[in-house]
Amino acid sequence: MTATRSPRSPGGRWTDRLLAEGRDPDPRFTLANERTFLAWIRTALALVAGGVGVALAGDLVDTPLRHVLAIGFSAAGALLAALAFRRWLRTERALRRDEPLPPPALAPLMSYGLAVAAVALVVALLLTR
């Protein structure tokens, strides 16, 4: 099955531009790409929820550090959501063009960033108690 362009929007929408490239990949690959995207979005939501949780932690962590951690977690969630879409789009484009998949640039960023945030939270908890 080959995608066709919509006559109403000549190249204006990103979906039309994406579908105009290459050919439709195996649906299993496209669906796997969507599942990966949704996993990143779940992680982004968890980070934002963690930020809200830290902000409402009360006496658990001192106020200035609590605010920094809450903003950090929430900002990381927002950044991850934005980068997740970019990753999905790059992967979908590579699948359509039969090109190698882009490297997982989000993985080390998330791994090291979450490790640093967790250590900061543990240190904050130990200093508060």
Short mmCIF file of all heavy atoms in Angstrom, two decimals, residues 45-61 66-67 69-71 73-74 121 125:
data_model
loop_
_atom_site.label_atom_id
_atom_site.label_comp_id
_atom_site.label_asym_id
_atom_site.label_seq_id
_atom_site.Cartn_x
_atom_site.Cartn_y
_atom_site.Cartn_z
N LEU A 45 5.10 11.63 31.65
CA LEU A 45 4.03 11.88 32.62
C LEU A 45 4.46 11.51 34.03
O LEU A 45 4.13 12.21 35.00
CB LEU A 45 2.77 11.11 32.23
CG LEU A 45 2.00 11.68 31.05
CD1 LEU A 45 0.87 10.72 30.65
CD2 LEU A 45 1.42 13.03 31.39
N ALA A 46 5.21 10.42 34.18
CA ALA A 46 5.70 10.03 35.50
C ALA A 46 6.65 11.07 36.06
O ALA A 46 6.62 11.37 37.26
CB ALA A 46 6.38 8.66 35.42
N LEU A 47 7.49 11.64 35.20
CA LEU A 47 8.40 12.69 35.67
C LEU A 47 7.63 13.93 36.12
O LEU A 47 7.94 14.52 37.16
CB LEU A 47 9.40 13.07 34.56
CG LEU A 47 10.53 12.07 34.35
CD1 LEU A 47 11.29 12.42 33.07
CD2 LEU A 47 11.46 12.07 35.55
N VAL A 48 6.62 14.32 35.35
CA VAL A 48 5.81 15.48 35.75
C VAL A 48 5.08 15.18 37.06
O VAL A 48 5.03 16.01 37.97
CB VAL A 48 4.82 15.87 34.63
CG1 VAL A 48 3.84 16.91 35.11
CG2 VAL A 48 5.58 16.35 33.40
N ALA A 49 4.53 13.98 37.19
CA ALA A 49 3.86 13.59 38.44
C ALA A 49 4.85 13.57 39.59
O ALA A 49 4.51 13.97 40.72
CB ALA A 49 3.20 12.22 38.28
N GLY A 50 6.08 13.11 39.34
CA GLY A 50 7.11 13.15 40.37
C GLY A 50 7.42 14.58 40.79
O GLY A 50 7.63 14.85 41.98
N GLY A 51 7.45 15.48 39.83
CA GLY A 51 7.68 16.89 40.15
C GLY A 51 6.58 17.46 41.02
O GLY A 51 6.84 18.18 41.98
N VAL A 52 5.34 17.12 40.69
CA VAL A 52 4.21 17.57 41.50
C VAL A 52 4.30 16.95 42.89
O VAL A 52 4.07 17.63 43.91
CB VAL A 52 2.87 17.22 40.81
CG1 VAL A 52 1.70 17.48 41.73
CG2 VAL A 52 2.73 18.01 39.53
N GLY A 53 4.66 15.68 42.96
CA GLY A 53 4.78 15.01 44.25
C GLY A 53 5.85 15.62 45.12
O GLY A 53 5.64 15.84 46.32
N VAL A 54 6.99 15.93 44.53
CA VAL A 54 8.06 16.57 45.30
C VAL A 54 7.63 17.97 45.74
O VAL A 54 7.91 18.38 46.87
CB VAL A 54 9.36 16.62 44.46
CG1 VAL A 54 10.41 17.50 45.13
CG2 VAL A 54 9.92 15.22 44.27
N ALA A 55 6.93 18.69 44.87
CA ALA A 55 6.47 20.04 45.23
C ALA A 55 5.52 20.00 46.41
O ALA A 55 5.49 20.93 47.23
CB ALA A 55 5.80 20.69 44.03
N LEU A 56 4.75 18.93 46.52
CA LEU A 56 3.77 18.82 47.61
C LEU A 56 4.31 18.02 48.80
O LEU A 56 3.56 17.67 49.70
CB LEU A 56 2.50 18.14 47.09
CG LEU A 56 1.78 18.89 45.97
CD1 LEU A 56 0.60 18.07 45.45
CD2 LEU A 56 1.33 20.26 46.43
N ALA A 57 5.61 17.74 48.79
CA ALA A 57 6.19 16.88 49.82
C ALA A 57 6.19 17.50 51.21
O ALA A 57 6.41 16.80 52.19
CB ALA A 57 7.62 16.48 49.42
N GLY A 58 5.98 18.77 51.32
CA GLY A 58 5.90 19.41 52.63
C GLY A 58 7.22 19.38 53.37
O GLY A 58 8.21 19.91 52.89
N ASP A 59 7.23 18.74 54.54
CA ASP A 59 8.42 18.73 55.39
C ASP A 59 9.45 17.69 54.97
O ASP A 59 10.51 17.60 55.59
CB ASP A 59 8.01 18.44 56.84
CG ASP A 59 7.14 19.54 57.39
OD1 ASP A 59 7.25 20.68 56.90
OD2 ASP A 59 6.35 19.26 58.31
N LEU A 60 9.18 16.91 53.98
CA LEU A 60 10.09 15.84 53.57
C LEU A 60 11.43 16.38 53.08
O LEU A 60 12.48 15.83 53.39
CB LEU A 60 9.43 15.00 52.48
CG LEU A 60 10.03 13.64 52.20
CD1 LEU A 60 10.02 12.77 53.44
CD2 LEU A 60 9.28 12.96 51.08
N VAL A 61 11.40 17.48 52.32
CA VAL A 61 12.61 18.10 51.78
C VAL A 61 12.51 19.60 52.02
O VAL A 61 11.42 20.17 51.96
CB VAL A 61 12.73 17.82 50.25
CG1 VAL A 61 13.96 18.45 49.67
CG2 VAL A 61 12.72 16.33 49.99
N ARG A 66 13.40 21.55 47.43
CA ARG A 66 12.14 20.95 46.95
C ARG A 66 11.69 21.63 45.67
O ARG A 66 11.27 20.97 44.72
CB ARG A 66 11.07 21.06 48.04
CG ARG A 66 9.79 20.34 47.68
CD ARG A 66 8.79 20.36 48.80
NE ARG A 66 8.35 21.72 49.07
CZ ARG A 66 8.22 22.25 50.27
NH1 ARG A 66 8.51 21.56 51.34
NH2 ARG A 66 7.80 23.49 50.44
N HIS A 67 11.78 22.95 45.63
CA HIS A 67 11.36 23.68 44.43
C HIS A 67 12.27 23.36 43.25
O HIS A 67 11.80 23.17 42.12
CB HIS A 67 11.34 25.17 44.69
CG HIS A 67 10.22 25.58 45.60
ND1 HIS A 67 10.07 26.85 46.08
CD2 HIS A 67 9.21 24.87 46.14
CE1 HIS A 67 9.00 26.91 46.86
NE2 HIS A 67 8.47 25.72 46.90
N LEU A 69 14.03 20.61 42.77
CA LEU A 69 13.75 19.25 42.31
C LEU A 69 12.42 19.18 41.56
O LEU A 69 12.30 18.49 40.54
CB LEU A 69 13.75 18.28 43.49
CG LEU A 69 15.12 17.94 44.06
CD1 LEU A 69 14.98 17.13 45.34
CD2 LEU A 69 15.95 17.18 43.04
N ALA A 70 11.40 19.86 42.08
CA ALA A 70 10.09 19.83 41.42
C ALA A 70 10.17 20.43 40.03
O ALA A 70 9.63 19.87 39.06
CB ALA A 70 9.07 20.57 42.27
N ILE A 71 10.87 21.54 39.91
CA ILE A 71 11.02 22.17 38.59
C ILE A 71 11.85 21.28 37.68
O ILE A 71 11.54 21.11 36.49
CB ILE A 71 11.65 23.58 38.74
CG1 ILE A 71 10.64 24.51 39.40
CG2 ILE A 71 12.10 24.13 37.40
CD1 ILE A 71 11.22 25.85 39.83
N PHE A 73 12.21 17.94 37.75
CA PHE A 73 11.44 16.78 37.30
C PHE A 73 10.40 17.20 36.25
O PHE A 73 10.24 16.53 35.23
CB PHE A 73 10.73 16.11 38.48
CG PHE A 73 11.59 15.15 39.24
CD1 PHE A 73 11.91 15.37 40.57
CD2 PHE A 73 12.09 14.01 38.63
CE1 PHE A 73 12.70 14.49 41.28
CE2 PHE A 73 12.89 13.12 39.32
CZ PHE A 73 13.19 13.36 40.65
N SER A 74 9.70 18.29 36.50
CA SER A 74 8.67 18.73 35.56
C SER A 74 9.27 19.16 34.23
O SER A 74 8.73 18.83 33.16
CB SER A 74 7.86 19.88 36.16
OG SER A 74 7.22 19.46 37.35
N LEU A 121 17.88 13.65 45.14
CA LEU A 121 16.74 13.46 46.04
C LEU A 121 17.15 12.69 47.29
O LEU A 121 16.74 13.04 48.40
CB LEU A 121 15.61 12.74 45.30
CG LEU A 121 14.29 12.62 46.05
CD1 LEU A 121 13.77 14.00 46.43
CD2 LEU A 121 13.28 11.89 45.20
N LEU A 125 17.02 14.10 51.06
CA LEU A 125 16.29 13.41 52.13
C LEU A 125 17.20 13.14 53.33
O LEU A 125 16.78 13.29 54.48
CB LEU A 125 15.70 12.10 51.60
CG LEU A 125 14.52 12.25 50.66
CD1 LEU A 125 14.16 10.90 50.06
CD2 LEU A 125 13.33 12.86 51.36
#
